[in-house]
Amino acid sequence: MSFFKRLKDKLIGNPTEEEKVAEIIEEEAAEQKQDEATEPAQIEAIVDENEKAEEVSVTEATSETEIPVASEDQGQQDQQEEVQEVAIVEEPVKEKKPSAWSITQKFKAGLEKTRNSFTSKVNDLVARYRKVDEDFFEELEDLLLQADVGFETVMELMDKLRFEVQRKNIKDTSGIQTIISEKLVEIYEQGEEDLIELNMQPKGELTVILFVGVNGVGKTTTIGKLAHRLKSQGKTVVLAAGDTFRAGAIDQLQVWGDRVGCEVIKQSEGSDPAAVMYDAIRAAKNRNADVLICDTAGRLQNKVNLMNELEKVHRVISREVPNAPHEVLLALDATTGQNALVQAQTFKEATNVTGIVLTKLDGTAKGGIVLAIRNKLHIPVKFVGLGEKMDDLQPFDAERYVYGLFAEGLDKELQNSED
């Protein structure tokens, strides 16, 4: 499937299904309004009937014939209340599933700073160079390096672009952004699928997610947002306050726990993080929780201590829950650029990192760090932070990410391809 085809499918989703959902929502809204409008009339009718019954003496036979009518009215009212209750329960579920277009727009808005810095320069480059030659490639290479794409990734991309231009005998720069986008997606995915899926355990079993990362990268905030995301999927989530050394870390996690409605298992500051994990696992099991998310300390001053501490935490978790932790997610601050890559290398040596959560991607003009991390460390980026709102933590999507980088240029080329 071509890049344009996949991109279009993700941008608009399935129109047929969206139309069906829209029709269902409209029908339910109309029925609810109708019920709300008819209910007062029914109540007034019942009141009038009762008042007439008090004023006029009626026979026992008449009273007996009226009782079924009243019960029927009551039964209809009960059925209407049940319908309303069902609608009230189902409505939030629909709101929790954003459309394909709204998700794509989050990537577009979140990557605005990178796009304004990087893509505007690419557009200027394309405008200045009518032909694709070596000078064009050299300037493009400089722009990619400035966007923190990473030296190895840039070299691989340039080789792929040169080969593609030669293979297709491309002479001018029109449509070059499409080729760049396709090759960036290819480099990121590297033939692998389902990179963003969390290793969730079957229903009835506890899934343990361990968060690691240095202080100040937004780790605790990300834990809260992930807990909110999992709760919106109907899962019971417990949080473990394992960052017992940073002042205020436990209180910060408690605030997030209160905000999203998750219990936080904690001890006093300075406690042994492994002991906190032990208590948290026992508590999660006793409460039949689906997911336990564990916070950890983020000190890098002494790598030996960090490795020993994480090893001890990992040992306690795996002893209490076989094959756990099921995910080790490393939180990285996208605004730190190449420093994030250094942090990723350090934590990869200290523990078996299974995925990256790249925070504050909306706050940097160098969003190319996503590609550098993936290509150099071979660790998938599973989530990205695209804003301050609760639902701005989104599963990473390579095609939406590339669209966010080249939105305006791709929109034009997509329109031209349809014309």
Side-chain angles (χ1 to χ4, degrees):
M1 184 184 293
S2 69
F3 176 76
F4 268 141
K5 175 63 177 173
R6 290 184 316 216
L7 179 61
K8 186 177 179 181
D9 287 345
K10 286 189 175 181
L11 285 178
I12 65 176
N14 188 332
T16 304
E17 293 297 326
E18 289 183 359
E19 289 173 1
K20 289 180 180 179
V21 171
E23 290 175 0
I24 291 173
I25 294 175
E26 290 176 359
E27 290 175 2
E28 289 181 350
E31 290 176 1
Q32 188 171 357
K33 287 181 180 179
Q34 185 176 0
D35 291 339
E36 293 174 354
T38 56
E39 187 175 4
Q42 291 175 344
I43 293 174
E44 291 177 2
I46 293 173
V47 172
D48 292 342
E49 192 173 344
N50 291 337
E51 290 176 353
K52 290 179 181 179
E54 292 176 357
E55 295 173 357
V56 181
S57 61
V58 292
T59 62
E60 292 181 359
T62 305
S63 299
E64 291 175 356
T65 57
E66 288 179 347
I67 292 172
V69 174
S71 64
E72 288 177 3
D73 291 341
Q74 187 64 36
Q76 291 176 356
Q77 187 175 352
D78 292 340
Q79 289 178 356
Q80 291 167 357
E81 290 176 355
E82 291 176 0
V83 170
Q84 290 176 350
E85 289 177 0
V86 171
I88 292 172
V89 171
E90 292 179 352
E91 187 66 24
V93 175
K94 292 185 177 67
E95 292 177 355
K96 290 170 187 171
K97 186 177 181 181
S99 66
W101 173 250
S102 67
I103 295 174
T104 305
Q105 289 300 99
K106 282 184 178 295
F107 275 83
K108 182 178 179 180
L111 288 164
E112 182 178 2
K113 286 188 177 180
T114 300
R115 186 170 61 254
N116 290 342
S117 173
F118 169 64
T119 313
S120 61
K121 294 177 182 178
V122 173
N123 291 336
D124 292 341
L125 180 63
V126 171
R128 285 189 290 108
Y129 285 87
R130 295 299 180 183
K131 294 182 179 181
V132 180
D133 54 19
E134 194 58 31
D135 291 337
F136 172 82
F137 282 127
E138 287 182 2
E139 286 206 38
L140 178 61
E141 181 180 310
D142 291 338
L143 292 179
L144 291 167
L145 289 172
Q146 292 171 19
D148 269 347
V149 174
F151 180 77
E152 292 85 353
T153 309
V154 170
M155 293 301 101
E156 182 179 350
L157 174 62
M158 301 313 296
D159 289 342
K160 287 180 177 291
L161 286 177
R162 286 186 174 94
F163 176 79
E164 194 72 9
V165 166
Q166 185 177 3
R167 185 177 70 87
K168 294 183 178 180
N169 196 26
I170 297 174
K171 300 298 184 183
D172 56 60
T173 55
S174 62
I176 193 67
Q177 290 193 36
T178 304
I179 299 176
I180 296 173
S181 302
E182 286 186 80
K183 298 309 171 186
L184 286 175
V185 173
E186 286 179 10
I187 290 174
Y188 183 87
E189 293 181 343
Q190 298 178 1
E192 300 180 38
E193 296 180 356
D194 297 328
L195 295 172
I196 64 172
E197 294 298 324
L198 291 175
N199 181 24
M200 303 298 294
Q201 300 306 291
K203 190 173 183 179
E205 297 183 19
L206 179 64
T207 299
V208 181
I209 300 175
L210 184 67
F211 262 84
V212 297
V214 301
N215 295 332
V217 298
K219 180 160 49 74
T220 307
T221 299
T222 302
I223 289 174
K225 290 181 178 180
L226 180 59
H228 168 74
R229 182 178 186 85
L230 293 172
K231 276 186 65 69
S232 69
Q233 297 171 359
K235 300 184 185 300
T236 305
V237 182
V238 174
L239 306 180
D243 187 356
T244 59
F245 297 100
R246 179 171 64 89
I250 298 174
D251 294 336
Q252 185 183 3
L253 189 65
Q254 183 64 63
V255 169
W256 272 103
D258 295 339
R259 187 178 301 176
V260 301
C262 294
E263 183 177 2
V264 178
I265 308 301
K266 59 186 178 180
Q267 294 185 9
S268 60
E269 286 188 11
S271 301
D272 184 359
V276 178
M277 299 307 167
Y278 177 82
D279 290 346
I281 291 173
R282 290 299 179 92
K285 287 182 176 179
N286 291 336
R287 292 154 180 73
N288 295 319
D290 299 306
V291 183
L292 172 64
I293 305 178
C294 306
D295 192 9
T296 61
R299 300 170 301 166
L300 269 184
Q301 288 83 356
N302 189 325
K303 193 166 70 171
V304 175
N305 287 345
L306 172 70
M307 294 177 70
N308 291 339
E309 184 178 296
L310 289 176
E311 183 181 351
K312 184 178 179 181
V313 167
H314 194 285
R315 187 168 62 249
V316 170
I317 292 174
S318 59
R319 185 181 64 207
E320 298 299 319
V321 181
N323 301 320
H326 304 99
E327 289 281 359
V328 179
L329 300 181
L330 171 60
L332 294 175
D333 184 346
T335 63
T336 60
Q338 290 298 310
N339 190 37
L341 191 58
V342 175
Q343 293 174 22
Q345 290 174 316
T346 303
F347 276 97
K348 187 180 180 182
E349 295 171 2
T351 185
N352 181 29
V353 177
T354 60
I356 303 290
V357 180
L358 199 59
T359 67
K360 309 176 189 179
L361 191 60
D362 59 311
T364 180
K366 296 186 176 183
I369 191 64
V370 175
L371 295 161
I373 291 172
R374 171 62 179 159
N375 202 41
K376 187 172 182 62
L377 301 179
H378 305 289
I379 302 174
V381 177
K382 297 206 171 187
F383 291 95
V384 288
L386 298 172
E388 298 297 328
K389 297 180 181 178
M390 193 84 77
D391 61 348
D392 283 337
L393 181 71
Q394 289 291 324
F396 180 74
D397 184 290
E399 285 159 354
R400 286 193 172 100
Y401 164 76
V402 170
Y403 172 76
L405 290 178
F406 297 97
E408 287 78 8
L410 288 178
D411 284 342
K412 292 179 182 178
E413 293 182 16
L414 182 59
Q415 183 64 43
N416 293 336
S417 69
E418 292 178 344
D419 296 340

